[in-house]
Amino acid sequence: MFISMTGFGSKSYEFEWGTVKFEITSVNHKYQDFGVRLPRELFSLENRILTILRNNITRGKVKLSAEIAWNPGAKIPVLDNDGLINLVNQVRKIAKRNNLEITNEITDFLALPGVLDDSGNVAEEAAVENPEIWDKLTLDTVSSLMEMKKTEGEKLRVKVEDDLTKLEEIIESLKERWKVANSEALESLRTRIENVMEHYDLEIDEARIAQEVALMSDKWDVSEETARLEAHTGKFRQVMDEEPCGKKLDFLIQEMNREINTMGSKVNDTEFRWGVVEAKTCIERMREQIQNIE
C-alpha cells in the first residue's frame, strides 16, 4: 500500500476549562524524526505522545503541536487571601525591626510566588489524572494524518503504475530490438574479420571466425539483464501492495537502474540505446515518487 510521507491532520478535545487542539504535519525524511511542541501545562505528556508517534508512523519528519483555547474566566488566578495577609504581616515586622521602609502597594505582593494560584494547572491535572484522554486525542490526530497520507499515496501509486507499465513495454521492445541488433552486429563483425584477412592475404579459418563471433556474442548478450529486470518489475508490483513498502521499492529501483545501465554499456546499437534512455527516464520518474512513500 502506498502511504505518502506528506500530510496534515488535526483533532480537538473539549474540557470544562477550554479546548485543546492537536495539529500534526509530516514531510519526507529517510528515517523517523519526530518532534512535539506543547504548552507549559502539557509538558508532562511529551514522552507519552512521542511513544505513540513512533509506534504508528514508520518514517518521515513529523511535528505535533498543541494549543489551548481557554474558556472565559478559566485563566483568572485564585488569590490566596490568608497567605497574602501572613506574607504582608511578616514583611512589616521585618521592616519595623530593621527600620526599613515598606511599600503600601498591594500589587507589589501579588507577583510573589504562592500568592496567586494560576488556574492553568487544571490542564496539568487533566494531563496527569486522565492519560487515556490524551492517548485517544493523539491517536485520533495520527488517524487524521494517516487518512490524508493514504489519499496522497494512492495518487502517487497511479503515477508510479503508469511509469512501471511503460517500463515493461520498453523492456519488451528492447528484447525484440536486441534480436535484430545482435544478428546485425555479429554479421558485421564476421564481415570485418573476413575483409581484414583478405586484405592481408591470410587464410580464412571458418572455425576461428566462428569462435571469435561466439565470444563477442557472449560479451554483447543482455538476456540475463533483461531477465533480472523483468524479475525486478514483477517483484515491484508485488511489493506495492505491502505496508510499508517505501524502502523496499527504493531498493528495487536501484537494482533496475543497475541492470539498465549494464545493458546500455554492452550494446552499441543506436535504437537499442535510445530505448535504454527511455527506460532510465521511467525509472528516474518512479524513483522520485518512491522517495515520497513511507
Side-chain angles (χ1 to χ4, degrees):
M1 178 183 294
F2 273 34
I3 300 177
S4 172
M5 278 193 282
T6 302
F8 171 84
S10 67
K11 284 293 178 180
S12 4
Y13 190 91
E14 294 184 1
F15 295 88
E16 294 180 357
W17 39 266
T19 301
V20 177
K21 184 178 182 180
F22 277 13
E23 289 187 349
I24 188 169
T25 60
S26 176
V27 295
N28 296 357
H29 197 273
K30 193 172 183 180
Y31 306 106
Q32 285 185 335
D33 182 5
F34 299 147
V36 175
R37 182 168 57 85
L38 302 174
R40 176 181 56 81
E41 296 85 356
L42 303 178
F43 277 173
S44 62
L45 296 171
E46 183 172 350
N47 288 335
R48 194 179 193 96
I49 291 174
L50 282 172
T51 299
I52 293 175
L53 295 181
R54 292 190 183 102
N55 290 338
N56 289 273
I57 301 175
T58 306
R59 63 175 179 153
K61 188 170 185 177
V62 179
K63 300 295 180 185
L64 184 144
S65 62
E67 61 179 21
I68 301 175
W70 298 95
N71 289 338
K75 285 287 286 183
I76 297 177
V78 177
L79 178 64
D80 184 357
N81 293 300
D82 294 337
L84 177 59
I85 292 172
N86 289 333
L87 179 61
V88 171
N89 288 336
Q90 290 181 43
V91 171
R92 285 177 175 172
K93 287 179 182 180
I94 294 173
K96 185 177 180 181
R97 188 181 308 127
N98 294 279
N99 294 320
L100 300 173
E101 293 185 3
I102 183 172
T103 179
N104 290 318
E105 293 292 333
I106 192 67
T107 53
D108 293 338
F109 291 93
L110 297 181
L112 297 175
V115 176
L116 288 178
D117 181 17
D118 186 356
S119 61
N121 62 14
V122 296
E124 296 180 47
E125 293 171 359
V128 174
E129 295 175 1
N130 300 295
E132 66 282 352
I133 292 177
W134 304 100
D135 290 351
K136 184 178 186 305
L137 179 55
T138 304
L139 288 169
D140 287 347
T141 306
V142 171
S143 296
S144 175
L145 170 69
M146 295 303 293
E147 184 176 338
M148 181 175 181
K149 283 158 65 78
K150 289 178 180 178
T151 300
E152 292 297 314
E154 287 305 308
K155 294 178 182 178
L156 294 176
R157 177 172 182 140
V158 171
K159 295 180 180 179
V160 172
E161 284 185 327
D162 286 344
D163 281 319
L164 182 60
T165 299
K166 184 171 180 58
L167 176 61
E168 291 170 334
E169 292 172 353
I170 293 173
I171 294 172
E172 285 300 317
S173 67
L174 287 175
K175 289 169 63 178
E176 293 302 316
R177 178 57 194 170
W178 169 242
K179 294 176 183 178
V180 176
N182 186 44
S183 298
E184 292 176 350
L186 294 178
E187 185 59 33
S188 175
L189 175 63
R190 171 185 284 274
T191 301
R192 288 199 302 271
I193 293 174
E194 290 177 347
N195 289 339
V196 169
M197 297 183 74
E198 288 178 0
H199 178 76
Y200 290 101
D201 195 23
L202 299 175
E203 183 179 350
I204 297 177
D205 185 345
E206 291 294 335
R208 180 66 178 179
I209 293 176
Q211 183 180 14
E212 291 298 325
V213 170
L215 289 173
M216 293 307 299
S217 177
D218 287 339
K219 290 182 180 180
W220 294 340
D221 185 41
V222 294
S223 58
E224 291 184 6
E225 286 78 8
T226 54
R228 285 194 293 267
L229 198 51
E230 288 176 323
H232 293 330
T233 56
K235 185 64 177 179
F236 194 96
R237 286 194 179 277
Q238 178 183 338
V239 173
M240 284 171 68
D241 293 324
E242 298 180 6
E243 182 184 342
C245 63
K247 288 186 177 181
K248 291 182 180 179
L249 294 180
D250 189 43
F251 171 77
L252 287 170
I253 287 289
Q254 295 178 42
E255 294 302 304
M256 290 180 190
N257 204 50
R258 183 178 292 110
E259 299 299 341
I260 202 69
N261 282 333
T262 302
M263 291 168 64
S265 66
K266 282 187 172 183
V267 182
N268 291 324
D269 180 70
T270 302
E271 185 176 338
F272 187 92
R273 283 195 164 185
W274 181 248
V276 168
V277 171
E278 290 184 323
K280 291 176 69 174
T281 302
C282 282
I283 292 173
E284 179 59 23
R285 285 200 301 264
M286 291 165 62
R287 187 192 67 80
E288 290 176 356
Q289 300 301 334
I290 293 303
Q291 298 302 310
N292 299 321
I293 301 300
E294 184 176 310

